[in-house]
């Protein structure tokens, strides 16, 4: 694709997401599809949820028709389309009336198995270190984990959208640098564009949330992109780009397992939600997360460009540690201003 075509793709995906998220918000308000505050919530007022009704179809359609404008892009595999539809419908039902965890997980597992069919003809995900059946099975488990952790982290303003934005831009930059065929810059730019359009509505104070109908299918599609990148040798980038989500959710699960707390039960123990309860504003959490995710995207690009995977992974670990440390403690109180104070003589 030319630079002009890439710019038009990004701008078009952004505008489509911006407009349709606004339309979705009006419909969700009309039919009172709301995220209402409960004990674990970090918001005090009901907020519409269901922006995924706009974001996911836009992204899917863009990916579906990309080969028409980018000859290097491959058609979106039909098993992935079916998987996206399955998790989207199930998640929308869950948004409307709630579903038990196990049926949701079962549908997600079926969608991941379908998606693995789209990866079966690609090189090994783990660079040939594992037998092929084990390679795909472990990749499927990681995919299932990722789509759920993406949903888990959608608890405060601009966090999930910011993660989708930086993953899309990071993968687009790496695709350009590596001249990939199949997974191209176009997929990443389309993801980044729809994420930015959603962020315009989800930035603090949020006017709409993705809902499960957005976070689950979006995590599913992003997970596919990351596994595709890993199969092309960019395994370090596939770990570095979502490093905060991976580390935070895994550590939270370990802590809950240690306390024998229910692992599938909704909670507010993730770093973004816990930080807001400690007194950090939504804007501060979103800003810190965005800075960290930009750093992770640059580390991922550097690791793949210079073949310095170990340095990139160490840098990612340090970045995530600094972010978690910043969010772990209450913000420092601001010193009160003294009225009429001036410089000393």
């Amino acid at each position: 694709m030319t630079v002009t075509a890439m710019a038009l793709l990004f701008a078009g995906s952004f505008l489509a997401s911006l407009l349709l998220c606004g339309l979705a918000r009006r419909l969700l308000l009309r039919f009172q599809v709301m995220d209402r505050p409960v004990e674990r919530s970090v918001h005090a007022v009901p907020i519409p949820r269901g922006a995924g009704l706009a974001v996911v179809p836009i992204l899917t359609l863009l990916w579906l028709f990309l080969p028409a404008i980018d000859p290097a892009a491959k058609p979106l595999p039909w098993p992935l389309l079916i998987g996206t539809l399955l998790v989207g419908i199930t998640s929308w039902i869950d948004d409307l009336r709630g579903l038990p965890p196990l049926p949701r997980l079962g549908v997600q597992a079926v969608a991941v198995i379908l998606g693995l069919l789209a990866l079966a003809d690609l090189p090994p995900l783990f660079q040939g270190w594992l037998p092929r059946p084990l390679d795909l099975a472990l990749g499927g488990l990681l995919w299932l984990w990722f789509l759920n952790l993406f949903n888990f982290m959608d608890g405060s303003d601009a966090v999930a959208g910011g993660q989708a934005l930086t993953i899309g831009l990071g993968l687009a930059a790496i695709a350009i640098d590596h001249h990939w065929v199949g997974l191209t810059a176009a997929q990443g730019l389309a993801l980044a564009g729809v994420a930015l359009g959603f962020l315009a509505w989800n930035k603090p104070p949020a006017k709409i949330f993705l809902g499960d109908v957005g976070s689950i299918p979006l995590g599913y599609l992003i997970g596919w992109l990351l596994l595709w990148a890993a199969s092309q040798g960019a395994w370090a980038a596939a770990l570095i780009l979502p490093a905060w989500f991976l580390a935070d959710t895994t550590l939270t699960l370990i802590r809950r397992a240690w306390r024998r707390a229910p692992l599938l039960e909704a909670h507010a123990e993730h770093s973004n939600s816990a930080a807001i309860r400690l007194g950090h504003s939504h804007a501060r959490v979103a800003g810190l997360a965005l800075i960290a995710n930009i750093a992770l995207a640059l580390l991922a690009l550097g690791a793949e460009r210079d073949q310095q995977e170990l340095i990139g992974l160490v840098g990612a670990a340090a970045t995530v540690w600094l972010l978690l440390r910043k969010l772990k403690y209450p913000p420092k109180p601001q010193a009160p201003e003294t009225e009429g104070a001036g410089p000393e003589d």
Side-chain angles (χ1 to χ4, degrees):
M1 293 181 72
T2 65
V3 173
T4 301
M6 289 191 287
L8 289 174
L9 172 64
F10 180 78
S13 57
F14 163 69
L15 289 174
S17 179
L18 180 69
L19 294 173
L20 289 185
C21 281
L23 176 61
R25 182 176 183 272
R26 292 177 59 184
L27 292 174
L28 294 166
L29 282 169
R30 179 180 177 182
F31 292 101
Q32 287 295 291
V33 183
M34 310 292 285
D35 186 2
R36 303 186 185 279
V38 293
E39 185 179 354
R40 67 177 185 274
S41 299
V42 292
H43 290 86
V45 297
I47 298 174
R49 63 177 178 187
L53 294 172
V55 170
V56 175
I58 294 170
L59 181 61
T60 306
L61 287 172
L62 284 170
W63 283 3
L64 190 62
F65 291 105
L66 275 179
I69 58 175
D70 183 6
K74 291 184 178 179
L76 196 64
W78 66 264
L80 194 73
L81 283 172
I82 296 174
T84 304
L85 187 63
L86 281 175
V87 294
I89 292 172
T90 305
S91 300
W92 180 234
I93 294 172
D94 190 33
D95 278 331
L96 292 177
R97 64 187 188 193
L99 287 174
L102 288 180
R104 294 200 314 261
L105 196 62
V107 172
Q108 293 164 12
V110 171
V112 165
I113 291 170
L114 284 171
L116 290 175
L117 296 176
L119 294 168
D121 294 333
L122 295 176
L125 303 174
F126 294 91
Q127 318 307 303
W129 297 340
L130 299 173
R132 187 58 170 167
L134 187 57
D135 181 90
L136 285 173
L138 185 54
L141 288 174
L142 290 173
W143 194 356
L144 185 62
W145 174 231
F146 181 82
L147 70 91
N148 277 285
L149 70 85
F150 197 87
N151 179 46
F152 295 157
M153 294 294 283
D154 185 29
S156 57
D157 304 356
V159 167
Q163 178 73 97
L165 173 66
T166 53
I167 287 178
L169 291 176
L171 286 176
I174 294 169
I176 291 171
D177 195 53
H178 282 57
H179 304 288
W180 280 336
V181 175
L183 174 65
T184 69
Q187 279 94 339
L189 288 173
L191 170 62
V194 297
L196 188 60
F198 165 67
L199 279 171
W201 293 97
N202 185 239
K203 68 180 188 297
K207 298 178 178 64
I208 192 172
F209 288 143
L210 281 170
D212 285 359
V213 72
S215 58
I216 294 288
L218 198 57
Y220 178 74
L221 291 172
I222 294 173
W224 180 75
L225 277 185
L226 293 171
L227 289 177
W228 205 107
S231 76
Q232 303 305 301
W235 60 271
L239 290 173
I240 292 171
L241 286 167
W244 172 40
F245 274 26
L246 290 171
D248 178 273
T249 310
T250 302
L251 290 172
T252 301
L253 181 67
I254 292 172
R255 287 195 296 267
R256 288 181 65 81
W258 181 262
R259 299 198 317 268
R260 298 183 180 179
L263 300 183
L264 298 179
E265 185 179 277
H267 58 84
E269 296 181 24
H270 295 287
S271 60
N272 56 324
S273 300
I276 292 167
R277 290 178 176 275
L278 284 173
H280 294 272
S281 68
H282 284 272
R284 176 175 169 79
V285 172
L288 289 171
L290 183 60
I291 292 169
N293 280 326
I294 291 172
L296 291 172
L298 293 173
L299 285 165
L301 178 60
E304 297 304 331
R305 167 172 284 188
D306 301 325
Q307 299 299 305
Q308 297 291 336
E309 289 90 350
L310 182 58
I311 294 175
L313 290 169
V314 171
T319 301
V320 171
W321 180 82
L322 286 171
L323 175 61
L324 293 178
R325 184 174 177 81
K326 279 282 188 183
L327 298 178
K328 184 178 179 180
Y329 300 103
K332 294 180 180 179
Q334 297 291 326
E337 296 183 3
T338 304
E339 186 175 351
E344 295 181 358
D345 294 335

